[in-house]
Amino acid sequence: MTTTLDAATLDRALGAAVDAARAAGAIAMTYYTGGFDVTMKPDDTPVTQADREAEEAIVAALGRAFPAWGFLGEEFGAQGAKDIRWIIDPIDGTKNFVRHIPVWATLLALEAHGEIVAGVIHNPVSGELYAARKGGGARLNGRAVTVSDVGDLWTATLLHAGLRLYRKAGVWDGLLRLVDATERQRGFGDYLGYALVAEGKAEIYVEVDLKPWDLAPCKIVVEEAGGRFTDLNGAPTIYSGHALATNGRLHDAALALLAGR
């Protein structure tokens, strides 16, 4: 769907999102390097003060900058307008955060009329910040990134997240077909799988058991890097609970193997 937001507005929104993600990352880092309490949510996932404070900071900053736009956040749910809204995961990879594994990030995206049009992925531990807006390409710390040109599965690298989840989601057999078809497989989960595909360091990433805020900026970053992002049925959505990101050239072949075709 075509967005009503022009390029200048998208650039301003992306700049504000970058600033908000950096501010949220700074809050999270004070806990990461210090201390925090962990509580469990009803879905048995952990949450910390860092998650809540980081999301509150993002909502406050972007609410001032764009008061007519709404929010959908992991910690505080939906607020305000739904036609144009920010989608927020203050800490993607909270389990890593809790165990001091430096693979976690603030995820922030702008959705306009159902389409993701801008996004930011910021890992404050590594200092990596991926940013993209529709029609503007994808960048890592200001440097343009693009997907690889690998065109055959046998020389491709396949990324995956926690293996038990694939069995639970009913896609285990399809994942094994992809394992058998590809040269290399590695378990870089969470946001990092999408980032590595966008940078051209891997070709295929399959993930399941997801919420929209896990995926929103990852979709636009992969797409603006020249790749393709869909659910496991081939629909370009963040709302199915599963995702496939590729360099584009291998997407249809990966979908076919996942489906057993």
Side-chain angles (χ1 to χ4, degrees), residues 28 31 36-41 45-54 75 90-91 94 97-98:
Y31 288 100
F36 49 86
D37 296 324
V38 181
T39 57
M40 300 303 292
K41 294 190 285 190
T45 59
V47 63
T48 70
Q49 304 106 300
D51 295 87
R52 297 188 183 98
E53 289 186 23
E75 305 308 331
I91 298 178
T94 300
F97 181 91
V98 166

Side-chain angles (χ1 to χ4, degrees), residues 64-112:
R64 289 191 298 269
F66 302 95
W69 298 353
F71 297 92
L72 175 64
E74 178 176 14
E75 305 308 331
F76 299 107
Q79 307 173 51
K82 295 182 179 179
D83 57 337
I84 302 179
R85 65 181 178 179
W86 299 100
I87 302 178
I88 308 164
D89 189 343
I91 298 178
D92 177 60
T94 300
K95 291 182 180 179
N96 288 343
F97 181 91
V98 166
R99 300 197 67 176
H100 287 85
I101 299 170
V103 181
W104 54 272
T106 296
L107 307 185
L108 181 55
L110 180 62
E111 181 184 55

